[in-house]
Each structure stands twice: as structure tokens, then as C-alpha cells.
Amino acid sequence: MLRDITLGQYYPADSVIHKLDPRVKLFGTLIYIISLFCFRGAAAFATVTLFLIAVIWTSKVPFKFMVKGLKAIMILMLITAAFNLFMTPGETLVSFWIFKITKEGVVNAALMAVRLTYLILGTSIMTLTTTPNQLTDGLEKALMPLSKIGIPVHAIAMMMSIALRFIPILIEETDKIMKAQMARGADFESGNLLKKVKSMIPLLVPLFVSAFRRADDLAMAMEARCYHGGGGRTKMKPLRYEGRDRAAYLMIILYFAAVLLCRAYLNWP
Amino acid sequence: MGIIKAKQLVHEYIRRDEEGNVESISTALDHVDLDVNAGEFIAVLGHNGSGKSTLAKHINALLSPSEGTLWVDGKDVSEEENVLEVRQTAGMVFQNPDNQIIASVVEEDVGFGPENIGVPTDEIWKRVEESLGAVGMLKYRHHSPNKLSGGQKQRVAIAGVVAMQPKCIVLDEPTAMLDPNGRREVIRTAHELNREKGVTIILITHYMEEVVDADKVIVMDKGKVVMQGTPREIFSQVGRLKEYRLDVPQITILADLLRQSGLDVPVGVLRREELVEALLREAQITG
């Protein structure tokens, strides 16, 4: 179950999306997220959907690879949907006991579910097509101006990329520890919530201990390879904008404009 | 002077309590003298806690000596301004392949070292290609390290060090977490680098089978260098090796037992073929 989270896993393929400058992809993801939470109406919805499908298709990442990431947030999605379903005031459709379902509630719940799904799909395209190192490079370069006011941009970027690199390893490790504890009779499935949380302790303690040990080892390995912060570092893959990056920027802006226009003029229903 | 030279090297791990008072001192290196010539293949053997890893970390300036001096390519490792140069001269490969690969793509990881020392971009690409070729991992350059086997990961780690063009590579138990196939891959790679590029190799291990092809073997126990010599010289002293809790290769033990029972078998047999040959000769003489 824990292996299903695809966030942070790079999927190697040879596509235009893979080759784009990470800054473009970061910008695109940001715009995409904003557009998700401000679109309204069928036309805007169609624009967003088309954009998403087009990007997924050009990325050459198998769709089922991304859907796997959705399973992990299923519960979050259900809870959000439930809250929207029961808590939105408005025209009552069904009511029983203290619950009542309103028309607005149904719409909101459906919208929220769609938004979350699109959010996960869209952001996982970024992580699936960009190596953590590229992502870090992109962030580092995009945020570099902040280092002038004393924010350690390079260090933050490095930490992020390492965290991303270790997600799959730690997940694998969690799986391993879980199986080891289960083999010795630990029960992670049954009992009420409190009991379940308590049963996580024998899972989390060894996981944390091993994560710290790994961190220590990794720090040493980095030092051994002459890592000494951002100063005097060169780049193997320096970021330079090319034609396709400018084209992508243009497309992202056009997309955003289209969503905004649909929101303003074609906001049926 | 050799590429690595230690003089009366001492390292103490000091354990302090919360107020900073010294609770206990354990001596990991106890007046070690060492002289390694450029181009040699040195194996360091020792049981757990013999100080062999501590010695390795000194060569890479990850630890600095409590007493004594260590020179790497003529530079004193305890001087702060030498640290980066020392680490560039003497690269290091660690035990756990997962905990030393920084990037999520093989070639980016190999490029990490050269990036740190400020190599220009074109040169990085050249070095990455060369060093991945040297360890035979060129066709995996776009792969994720998570999908490689242990031996392959370790070879990537070696390539990452080779890309910094060190004169010497220290391998700190590189095979401890690998299966027999992976172990062979890594040891073979180390020998190839030694032969073809003339890189000085210091292989730290507790598998005796891995040291038979080394130029020189150093045995450590309780922080001291207790034996030094060619593999044959070392393996001829089975009793002493057992004293230091080292597992002597089975073939060496067998040859030793045969010799004790009166057969004319040479001392320090390292390979099965050698023993077979000796026994055949014996059979011809007596038969």
C-alpha cells in the first residue's frame, strides 16, 4: 500500500516535458494549481481537463502510473467530500436525522473531489518528469534573489532534493519493518483508531532511528566527495532557457488566460 | 615518501556526559605507522572494532588525528586548508550503497563530486562518461539507482569517486552488504582501476577471500597494525590470524592441516589450484 505513492518518483522517458527547464515546470505547476482553485463553469472545466490530458499525453508517462498516486489520498478525498456534502448550507435535497444533503453540497463535493484528483495528477506529472536534482536546480535558480537577504537558498534546495531521493528508500524500509513486526505478531490492521495509532510506535521508532543513521552516513559521504555548500560549485546540467521553454511559458500563460476568460464570460452553469 | 604516510597516528573517541566531563576514552587507533606507495593495492583486514574504518576516515580527512600525523600526497590532513585537496586526492567508498548515492539518476550522482570541486560543465560530462565506462555502468547512466542491484550501486559509487580523478581510493568495507556476485563485481572493478588507471587502492574488508590478489595486506587488531606483508606471508600464519578472530579461507586452513600432518604442501596457499598442484606433485613423488 505504501508503495503506491508516486509523488517524488522519477519516471525516465524521452519527452518534451522531460526536457523542459524545471523553472518552466515549476511555474506551470503553480499556475495550474491556481487555475484549479479559481475555475468556474463547464467551459473552464473543459479547458483545465484538456490541458491536463494534453500534458499527460505529451509526457509519455503511463497514465496508470499516476493513478497509483491517487489511491494514497483516497481517504483525504472522501473526508473532504463528506464535509462538503453535509456542511454546505442551501437547498435541501435529502435529509435524515441531523444530516441533510443540499444541492450546493453535492456540487461542492463533486468539485472538490475533481480538484483534488487534478491537483495530484498535475503535480505528479512534475515530479515524474523532473529529477529531484533538476527540481532543486530550478528552485535554487528561481529563488536565488532571496539569498541576498540571507536566506540559505542552496542549503534548502539541497535538503529538498535529498528528502525526495530518500522517500522511496524510506517507504521500502517502512514496508520491511512492518513485515518484520508483523512476523513477530504485531497487528497494524485491527482495533480502534487509538489502538491503531499506538501500534504505529514499533514501526516509527525503528524507522526514525534508521533515518537518522542514514542521514549521518549520507552527510559523511557528501563530505567525502568534497561537498562544502554552494560556494564554488559548478553544474553538470546548468539551466539555460531554450526555444521550447519560451514556447511552454507562452502556452502556460495562454492556458491561464483561457481559464480566466471562461470564468469571466462563460461561467455556465 | 609514499602517497599515504602515517606516523604514530592515534585517534581517541571521547565520550562525554552532559556537563562535558570525560566519561570514557576509547582508543581506536593506537600509534599506527603506515607507508603506502603510489599504485599499490593494499588490503586492510581486521575484526569489528579493530580501527580499520577509523583509519580509512583519517585518509579522507573525515576524522582528524588526536596525536601523530598523516600525510596524503605530502599534505597534512589535520590542516584545515588541505581538507578539500586531501578529499580530492583520496576518494572514499562506503559500506552502504544506498546511503552514499545523492542523486536520483546515475549520471547526476557521478557528476556530484566534480560539481563540488568546481569542474567546468563540459569537463564534468567527459569525466562522468569516462568513469561510468571504467566501472562498466555506462549503459545504466539514465537509470534510477533504486532499480540497480547492490553491486551495481556500489560500482556507481566507485564511479562517483573516480570522476573526481583521485590518486587513491579508499574502499571501506564496500562488499559487506552485497551478495557473492556483487562482491566479485566490486572487487574486480577495484582491481581494474588499479591496473589500468594506476589508482592506489586501499581495500578495507573482513573477507579474507578478497585480499588474496592484493600487493600487500595489513592486519589490524585493537587499533594497532599487528601484521604486514604479502598475502602469502600473512596467510602462512594461520594460527595468528585466528587469534585476531579473522576467518582464514577454507583452502588455506586445509593446506595448513595437511602440512601439519606431514604432507609437503607450501605455506600460505591462497587458491584451490595451488593446493591441487602441490598435492599432485606430492602424489607423483610418493607414487
Side-chain angles (χ1 to χ4, degrees), chain A residues 10 12 131-134 158 165-166 168-169 214 217-218 220-228 232-238, chain B residues 57 60 62 84 87 94 98-105 107-109 111-112 115-119 121 124-125 128 146 164:
Chain A
Y10 177 64
T131 67
N133 258 24
Q134 283 175 333
M158 188 47 104
R165 142 106 178 107
F166 275 86
I169 291 178
R214 274 179 199 284
D217 276 6
L218 188 75
M220 193 139 66
M222 286 170 72
E223 257 189 79
R225 282 161 79 181
C226 290
Y227 182 72
H228 54 282
R233 249 183 136 234
T234 45
K235 293 271 182 221
M236 181 181 178
K237 297 175 175 168
Chain B
K57 281 170 194 156
N60 197 261
L62 288 170
L84 279 183
R87 287 185 184 151
F94 296 85
D98 275 326
N99 295 357
Q100 53 184 320
I101 295 182
I102 289 115
S104 314
V105 178
E107 60 175 14
E108 284 181 16
D109 186 71
F112 180 75
E115 281 182 340
N116 287 337
I117 52 178
V119 177
T121 303
I124 295 180
W125 282 93
V128 166
N146 291 334
M164 294 168 75

Side-chain angles (χ1 to χ4, degrees), chain B residues 266 271-284:
Chain B
R271 287 184 193 81
R272 198 186 312 166
E273 297 80 31
E274 264 177 75
L275 183 62
V276 171
E277 221 171 89
L279 289 176
L280 280 175
R281 228 180 11 248
E282 178 86 346
Q284 270 167 3

Side-chain angles (χ1 to χ4, degrees), chain A:
Chain A
M1 136 227 165
L2 284 162
R3 282 165 194 278
D4 293 340
I5 307 169
T6 49
L7 274 171
Q9 287 249 44
Y10 177 64
Y11 182 89
D14 187 31
S15 80
V16 186
I17 307 272
H18 280 77
K19 284 192 197 119
L20 279 182
D21 190 294
R23 283 171 290 176
V24 179
K25 284 187 262 190
L26 279 169
F27 176 74
T29 311
L30 189 68
I31 291 295
Y32 173 75
I33 293 173
I34 295 171
S35 78
L36 272 188
F37 285 92
C38 72
F39 80 75
R40 196 186 296 148
F45 177 65
T47 317
V48 174
T49 312
L50 274 178
F51 181 73
L52 183 64
I53 290 171
V55 172
I56 291 176
W57 187 70
T58 33
S59 75
K60 289 185 187 164
V61 179
F63 186 63
K64 62 170 199 275
F65 215 87
M66 284 173 218
V67 177
K68 275 191 212 156
L70 280 179
K71 283 186 203 151
I73 61 140
M74 219 36 153
I75 296 165
L76 179 71
M77 218 146 88
L78 285 177
I79 294 172
T80 329
F83 265 99
N84 274 301
L85 200 59
F86 296 120
M87 308 297 253
T88 318
E91 192 184 325
T92 310
L93 286 179
V94 200
S95 76
F96 55 94
W97 194 34
I98 54 163
F99 297 111
K100 59 173 192 275
I101 297 173
T102 62
K103 194 178 153 199
E104 285 80 1
V106 175
V107 173
N108 272 356
L111 263 180
M112 211 54 195
V114 168
R115 279 183 174 142
L116 277 176
T117 312
Y118 279 24
L119 181 73
I120 294 297
L121 287 180
T123 45
S124 61
I125 289 174
M126 186 180 74
T127 51
L128 282 166
T129 62
T130 322
T131 67
N133 258 24
Q134 283 175 333
L135 206 61
T136 322
D137 283 357
L139 268 179
E140 197 183 337
K141 203 144 183 192
L143 299 179
M144 224 20 166
L146 291 181
S147 68
K148 288 207 179 75
I149 55 167
I151 295 172
V153 176
H154 171 79
I156 293 171
M158 188 47 104
M159 280 192 268
M160 275 185 55
S161 97
I162 289 170
L164 282 170
R165 142 106 178 107
F166 275 86
I167 286 172
I169 291 178
L170 288 179
I171 286 173
E172 215 168 276
E173 186 137 316
T174 316
D175 247 13
K176 226 185 265 172
I177 297 172
M178 220 164 168
K179 285 202 181 102
Q181 305 286 40
M182 267 149 81
R184 284 180 280 167
D187 182 6
F188 295 110
E189 318 275 276
S190 64
N192 56 18
L193 192 65
L194 191 69
K195 215 173 157 199
K196 269 190 186 166
V197 171
K198 267 189 184 162
S199 73
M200 284 291 150
I201 294 171
L203 183 67
L204 289 178
V205 172
L207 188 66
F208 267 85
V209 171
S210 110
F212 279 119
R213 194 169 298 144
R214 274 179 199 284
D216 205 32
D217 276 6
L218 188 75
M220 193 139 66
M222 286 170 72
E223 257 189 79
R225 282 161 79 181
C226 290
Y227 182 72
H228 54 282
R233 249 183 136 234
T234 45
K235 293 271 182 221
M236 181 181 178
K237 297 175 175 168
L239 296 176
R240 253 181 245 117
Y241 282 129
E242 284 176 44
R244 57 167 173 263
D245 298 315
R246 283 180 210 107
Y249 267 129
L250 190 68
M251 268 150 76
I252 293 163
I253 290 164
L254 282 179
Y255 156 77
F256 194 52
V259 172
L260 288 182
L261 282 176
C262 290
R263 178 192 154 95
Y265 298 108
L266 295 166
N267 54 2
W268 177 88

Side-chain angles (χ1 to χ4, degrees), chain B:
Chain B
M1 190 155 105
I3 184 152
I4 291 164
K5 191 175 163 62
K7 209 173 133 198
Q8 295 293 302
L9 196 63
V10 176
H11 189 83
E12 285 164 342
Y13 287 109
I14 301 171
R15 185 189 288 269
R16 289 175 197 276
D17 60 12
E18 275 140 39
E19 278 103 48
N21 302 316
V22 176
E23 263 186 352
S24 64
I25 298 176
S26 55
T27 311
L29 289 178
D30 193 356
H31 298 94
V32 169
D33 286 314
L34 193 70
D35 202 345
V36 177
N37 293 320
E40 274 186 316
F41 193 112
I42 307 284
V44 180
L45 277 173
H47 199 259
N48 287 343
S50 61
K52 56 193 195 307
S53 278
T54 309
L55 178 65
K57 281 170 194 156
H58 276 82
I59 297 173
N60 197 261
L62 288 170
L63 292 174
S64 59
S66 310
E67 270 172 52
T69 329
L70 177 73
W71 294 273
V72 173
D73 205 17
K75 291 182 192 72
D76 187 344
V77 297
S78 48
E79 310 255 341
E80 193 62 42
E81 71 263 22
N82 286 342
V83 165
L84 279 183
E85 242 173 300
V86 166
R87 287 185 184 151
Q88 211 175 317
T89 316
M92 187 149 172
V93 176
F94 296 85
Q95 189 183 83
N96 189 333
D98 275 326
N99 295 357
Q100 53 184 320
I101 295 182
I102 289 115
S104 314
V105 178
V106 167
E107 60 175 14
E108 284 181 16
D109 186 71
V110 178
F112 180 75
E115 281 182 340
N116 287 337
I117 52 178
V119 177
T121 303
D122 303 338
E123 172 76 12
I124 295 180
W125 282 93
K126 227 169 72 199
R127 286 192 186 188
V128 166
E129 230 169 281
E130 256 177 38
S131 43
L132 276 174
V135 300
M137 289 294 290
L138 198 55
K139 65 172 182 241
Y140 295 97
R141 60 185 303 173
H142 298 299
H143 283 235
S144 152
N146 291 334
K147 296 205 170 86
L148 302 179
S149 74
Q152 288 173 328
K153 277 186 223 174
Q154 212 56 308
R155 269 149 72 200
V156 170
I158 294 175
V161 172
V162 172
M164 294 168 75
Q165 300 184 337
K167 290 184 184 158
C168 165
I169 298 179
V170 184
L171 299 124
D172 187 3
E173 299 199 46
T175 57
M177 302 183 74
L178 306 181
D179 57 11
N181 271 334
R183 290 221 295 264
R184 267 194 296 277
E185 271 172 41
V186 170
I187 298 301
R188 197 179 52 225
T189 309
H191 276 287
E192 276 168 14
L193 287 174
N194 179 246
R195 246 191 338 264
E196 281 155 28
K197 294 194 182 250
V199 182
T200 312
I201 302 277
I202 297 179
L203 172 68
I204 291 169
T205 182
H206 58 249
Y207 291 111
M208 303 281 264
E209 284 83 358
E210 290 171 0
V211 309
V212 294
D213 293 319
D215 295 325
K216 193 166 139 197
V217 178
I218 292 167
V219 180
M220 290 189 69
D221 188 56
K222 291 178 189 141
K224 289 191 172 81
V225 172
V226 286
M227 292 164 89
Q228 260 192 73
T230 63
R232 201 169 295 279
E233 285 163 16
I234 298 291
F235 283 109
S236 59
Q237 306 174 51
V238 174
R240 260 185 94 188
L241 287 172
K242 280 191 174 161
E243 227 173 87
Y244 300 128
R245 293 176 294 165
L246 289 166
D247 302 312
V248 184
Q250 284 177 338
I251 202 73
T252 311
I253 297 179
L254 178 63
D256 195 57
L257 288 172
L258 287 173
R259 201 162 46 82
Q260 277 172 25
S261 62
L263 280 176
D264 181 26
V265 177
V267 285
V269 170
L270 303 174
R271 287 184 193 81
R272 198 186 312 166
E273 297 80 31
E274 264 177 75
L275 183 62
V276 171
E277 221 171 89
L279 289 176
L280 280 175
R281 228 180 11 248
E282 178 86 346
Q284 270 167 3
I285 295 166
T286 50

